[in-house]
Amino acid sequence: MELLFLGTGAGMPTKERNVTSIALTMYEERGSFWMFDCGEGTQHQVLKSPLRLSKLEKLFVTHLHGDHIFGLPGLLSSRSNQGGTASLTLYGPPGIKEYIRTSMQLSQSRMNYELNIIEIQEGIVFEDEQVSVSARMLDHRIDSYGYRIEEKPKLGTLLTEKLNGLGIRPGPLFGMLKRGMDVTLEDGTRIIAADVVGPPVPGRTIVILGDTRPSEGSAALAKRADVLVHEATFAQELSDLAKEYYHSTTKEAAQTAVEAEVKALILTHISGRYAQDGAQLLEEEARSLFPNAYVAHDFWSYEIPVKSREEI
């Protein structure tokens, strides 16, 4: 699992930063990647990255401001021309369905894959045997959501030395025990799966927020997450401006991370006024409250480490 930041700027693109888009790669887990927001020019950013649109499985939109959605029509159209034939599901606030359908219809764009559009509310928006995704409303000028992605615990590893001691060699019985199925040997010995399989490996939790001022929704979503991606449009000295425009400062994002007890904080949606050395100053400001904080830049990646069993 890895976060790849395709666009980290706020409002409009600059020479250093494109507008918002984040990819969550899950190639080992699902053979695909997910995308969060799709600002203008995102498909160009994808072309400069290792990503392939044919592997895009799900796309989550936080809110309907242009710097988060203007790249959608082009990217959805290009996916067809880049070998994307598997179905794609898009999640977003009410209005996203009308925006996509109108854009695609008026431009006479064609897709050779099934596009499912789900307009979300607070609560669980997706769940399967591997992962669940829940959404909460944030505090912005329009409806803006944050997403909490929770990986479910993985099966423990087989205690192979113990199995060898029982005279069981690698083969079909290993697979059955690994899946939690008790087995009976030819001599009538009953092997209980729980006795020969280690404890489950806890899943990871990633939280990605849309634009927001500090809010109850942010804190609730972020609780004890492995990584929190939080906007930090302004430095703390511009806190009045941040409040007026429904954005957050570096220290406000860091304070959320402290209170939520997250492990890592990544700041994005950076105002164009913080060019060159400005990002380092923002990072230092956040680290004064939360040491494990980073300011993302375009094409920067962050690997989410697998938890140890002791972290259950």
Side-chain angles (χ1 to χ4, degrees):
M1 252 188 201
E2 185 178 72
L3 288 166
L4 174 61
F5 291 81
L6 297 168
T8 57
M12 63 184 68
T14 67
K15 292 181 179 180
E16 293 184 342
R17 298 178 183 272
N18 198 49
V19 283
T20 300
S21 185
I22 304 169
L24 174 62
T25 62
M26 295 182 285
Y27 294 130
E28 291 184 8
E29 297 83 3
R30 306 179 68 92
S32 66
F33 76 94
W34 293 359
M35 183 177 288
F36 293 81
D37 287 333
C38 186
E40 181 182 0
T42 293
Q43 65 169 313
H44 294 274
Q45 300 292 87
V46 170
L47 290 173
K48 299 173 186 176
S49 79
L51 301 173
R52 295 169 53 196
L53 286 180
S54 60
K55 296 292 185 180
L56 177 60
E57 178 190 4
K58 294 185 180 297
L59 204 162
F60 298 85
V61 172
T62 62
H63 64 294
L64 302 184
H65 276 155
D67 58 321
H68 294 255
I69 66 168
F70 282 169
L72 282 169
L75 182 138
L76 294 174
S77 298
S78 294
R79 185 174 183 265
S80 288
N81 298 322
Q82 295 182 27
T85 57
S87 64
L88 170 65
T89 305
L90 190 157
Y91 304 80
I96 189 64
K97 186 178 294 186
E98 180 183 2
Y99 171 70
I100 295 298
R101 288 184 173 173
T102 300
S103 299
M104 304 304 277
Q105 181 180 5
L106 291 179
S107 63
Q108 297 186 27
S109 299
R110 300 178 65 181
M111 296 178 291
N112 59 356
Y113 59 90
E114 180 183 5
L115 175 63
N116 303 301
I117 303 175
I118 298 175
E119 296 190 333
I120 66 168
Q121 297 178 338
E122 288 190 309
I124 294 177
V125 298
F126 171 75
E127 185 171 20
D128 65 9
E129 69 281 357
Q130 290 181 311
V131 68
S132 69
V133 182
S134 56
R136 285 285 297 264
M137 186 82 75
L138 306 176
D139 183 13
H140 196 46
R141 287 181 292 153
I142 63 173
D143 286 358
S144 181
Y145 287 87
Y147 294 99
R148 180 181 176 94
I149 304 97
E150 295 182 88
E151 185 185 30
K152 295 184 178 178
K154 297 179 181 178
L155 294 173
T157 56
L158 280 175
L159 306 179
T160 54
E161 290 186 6
K162 191 171 184 178
L163 287 169
N164 290 335
L166 295 170
I168 304 174
R169 297 291 179 260
L173 293 182
F174 267 43
M176 295 172 66
L177 291 166
K178 173 75 173 177
R179 294 192 296 272
M181 301 169 61
D182 300 337
V183 301
T184 301
L185 304 182
E186 292 182 359
D187 63 4
T189 303
R190 184 76 170 165
I191 307 298
I192 306 302
D195 294 337
V196 294
V197 177
V201 179
R204 293 159 286 186
T205 299
I206 304 99
V207 176
I208 299 174
L209 304 181
D211 292 3
T212 185
R213 296 191 292 200
S215 68
E216 292 182 3
S218 302
L221 283 172
K223 197 67 176 176
R224 296 189 178 89
D226 292 280
V227 57
L228 167 64
V229 180
H230 198 304
E231 71 126 294
T233 309
F234 301 107
Q236 188 61 29
E237 66 178 3
L238 296 178
S239 58
D240 289 342
L241 190 62
K243 183 176 181 180
E244 178 182 355
Y245 286 97
Y246 289 80
H247 286 295
S248 293
T249 67
T250 51
K251 285 195 173 181
E252 287 171 339
Q255 187 60 40
T256 296
V258 170
E259 294 174 358
E261 301 177 280
V262 306
K263 293 182 179 177
L265 169 67
I266 301 176
L267 305 178
T268 187
H269 202 268
I270 307 301
S271 169
R273 71 189 68 206
Y274 303 109
Q276 298 178 349
D277 296 337
Q280 182 177 348
L281 296 175
L282 296 178
E283 191 169 85
E284 291 172 356
E285 192 169 82
R287 287 181 174 180
S288 68
L289 284 179
F290 188 84
N292 197 25
Y294 308 86
V295 173
H297 56 81
D298 289 15
F299 304 112
W300 180 72
S301 63
Y302 178 86
E303 185 174 354
I304 302 127
V306 176
K307 289 183 178 180
S308 65
R309 294 181 180 86
E310 288 73 22
E311 296 179 83
I312 297 177

